[in-house]
Amino acid sequence: MTLATTTEKKLLRVLHIGVSNRGTWPLKNCTPATGFAPAALCDVSASALATARQQTGLGESACFNNVDQAFAEAEVDCAIVCTPTMLHVPLAKKAIAAGLPVLIEKGMAPDWTSATDLVRTARAAKAVVAVAQNYRYYGGEQTIRRAIHDSSHCAYVGPVHLLTYTQQRVRPEPRTLTYPFASVWDMSCHHFDNLLCWLGPIAEMTAQSWRADWSPYQHDNNTSAHILFQNGTHVHYIHTHDAARSAMEIQVHGQRGALFRNEDKITFNQRPLEQFGSRPIVEVAHEEAHGEADLLRDFYAFIAEGIEPGISAAKNLETMAACEMMVRSITQRRTVKRTELPE
């Protein structure tokens, strides 16, 4: 039986911990089509619980404002945690102790020590723990991955020597990003997960950070890096939260051609062979993808069939390693190699 027939399988009852902001997408996507059904809600906000109750149709007896009580009393098969990053590891460990498979929002952890601690805990308990790295499930990201790996694709770029990844974000309110390198652990983790999905393991990283004089952020919230991957690809990366205009661009330069993504538009051209030459630029259709619904289907297969996805906590440790390499490079002002981070 394949994931396409998920509706024929047992629906897994979900304890939703955190049901506002990023906690709303699981409420929408936990359906028979993905194999899940909301069964219990937990949040410190009474208004968030009320809104989630209205959306799910659950009664008051299925609502909790205390997570320990929720784990003890809710009749569920798994948990989905959508809280601030600082709480992900403690709540995931509570789920493991309760014997529940758990999906936690990105980033997996706010530091390398707690990330490795969670993975060791999960391995010791043989627990199912996954991270909601949803970007890799979007059509644009899937298109880039295929253009890098599939030689039959119309936009196949061939072996890649350079990739540039930039995202400028207009984010004048720090909100929960108040701890050191929060923009790295909370947001760059998305970008690093994409890069790892496309290019494989990282070999080394050299990074810098800065903060605008007028920034409301207490800590540096803008970063750049030169990243060398084990396959020889060089990546130039930049991510800011003090931008005055939002922008996102990815360039992939390979032996056969170049793939450019500007916001949601993706274009391709073959590599010119003459000096300063050019080739026609054509728009590339996005791969069919279903975002968070596909992510949940992978989580279901992890629970029900033992098929470990790329978003398992163990595999996501490479994403956390990339974050740690960035932090060490910035704070120690040197190039950091992946081999320096034992798990």
Side-chain angles (χ1 to χ4, degrees), residues 84-90 93 104-120 131 179-187 189 313 316-328 331 341-343:
T85 302
M86 297 291 288
L87 300 175
H88 288 173
V89 170
K93 291 174 74 173
I104 54 177
E105 254 293 350
K106 60 81 191 172
M108 185 165 79
D111 57 73
W112 176 244
T113 299
S114 55
T116 54
D117 177 53
L118 175 57
V119 171
R120 283 194 295 267
V131 184
Y179 58 95
F181 298 107
S183 66
V184 176
W185 296 102
D186 189 83
M187 191 64 210
C189 66
N316 192 69
L317 202 57
E318 285 303 312
T319 300
M320 296 289 95
C323 294
E324 176 67 8
M325 291 168 73
M326 172 166 272
V327 171
R328 290 192 189 189
T331 56
L341 279 65
E343 299 175 9

Side-chain angles (χ1 to χ4, degrees), residues 26 63 70 85 96 110 149 160-161 179 197-198 207 225 235 242 246 249 258 264 271 282 297 335 337:
C63 295
T85 302
I96 293 171
H149 292 280
V160 178
H161 80 96
Y179 58 95
C197 183
W198 300 336
V235 171
D242 285 331
S246 295
E249 183 182 77
D264 285 329
R271 183 173 66 89
V282 296
R297 291 186 183 98
T335 297
K337 298 183 181 299

Side-chain angles (χ1 to χ4, degrees), residues 15-253:
L15 165 60
H16 295 265
I17 302 175
V19 295
S20 64
N21 299 318
R22 281 297 296 166
T24 59
W25 73 260
L27 298 177
K28 176 183 177 182
N29 287 282
C30 284
T31 66
T34 59
F36 297 93
L41 311 170
C42 183
D43 202 295
V44 295
S45 168
S47 61
L49 283 174
T51 300
R53 274 189 60 202
Q54 185 176 20
Q55 181 177 351
T56 60
L58 293 173
E60 287 188 14
S61 61
C63 295
F64 303 87
N65 57 20
N66 180 285
V67 71
D68 292 322
Q69 183 183 10
F71 277 123
E73 299 180 11
E75 296 184 1
V76 295
D77 302 302
C78 61
I80 298 179
V81 175
C82 296
T83 63
T85 302
M86 297 291 288
L87 300 175
H88 288 173
V89 170
L91 291 174
K93 291 174 74 173
K94 285 179 180 288
I96 293 171
L100 293 176
V102 59
L103 173 71
I104 54 177
E105 254 293 350
K106 60 81 191 172
M108 185 165 79
D111 57 73
W112 176 244
T113 299
S114 55
T116 54
D117 177 53
L118 175 57
V119 171
R120 283 194 295 267
T121 301
R123 284 173 175 162
K126 297 182 179 179
V128 170
V129 183
V131 184
Q133 291 285 6
N134 56 322
Y135 279 25
R136 62 163 61 201
Y137 289 91
Y138 293 159
E141 283 73 11
Q142 290 287 322
T143 303
I144 293 172
R145 187 178 190 278
R146 187 176 172 196
I148 291 174
H149 292 280
D150 184 356
S151 60
S152 70
H153 193 267
C154 63
Y156 176 59
V157 294
V160 178
H161 80 96
L162 173 67
L163 188 151
T164 67
Y165 196 132
T166 67
Q167 184 169 35
Q168 323 295 347
R169 295 170 63 86
V170 178
R171 202 181 189 284
E173 298 180 12
R175 297 177 66 183
T176 60
L177 304 186
T178 55
Y179 58 95
F181 298 107
S183 66
V184 176
W185 296 102
D186 189 83
M187 191 64 210
S188 289
C189 66
H190 262 325
H191 306 149
F192 293 155
D193 184 69
N194 281 339
L195 290 168
L196 289 158
C197 183
W198 300 336
L199 301 172
I202 292 173
E204 63 181 42
M205 185 186 304
T206 308
Q208 294 181 323
S209 69
W210 71 98
R211 171 187 168 278
D213 291 340
W214 36 261
S215 176
Y217 289 78
Q218 178 183 355
H219 305 284
D220 286 3
N221 61 314
N222 308 295
T223 53
S224 64
H226 181 94
I227 310 171
L228 175 62
F229 281 73
Q230 289 183 17
N231 69 0
T233 303
H234 289 256
V235 171
H236 290 286
Y237 172 77
I238 185 168
H239 173 219
T240 72
H241 278 182
D242 285 331
R245 182 187 301 179
S246 295
M248 195 277 285
E249 183 182 77
I250 298 168
Q251 298 184 17
V252 185
H253 295 268

Side-chain angles (χ1 to χ4, degrees), residues 269-281:
N269 65 274
Q270 292 187 344
R271 183 173 66 89
L273 300 179
E274 64 276 3
Q275 194 79 337
F276 306 118
S278 64
R279 291 291 183 273
I281 297 172

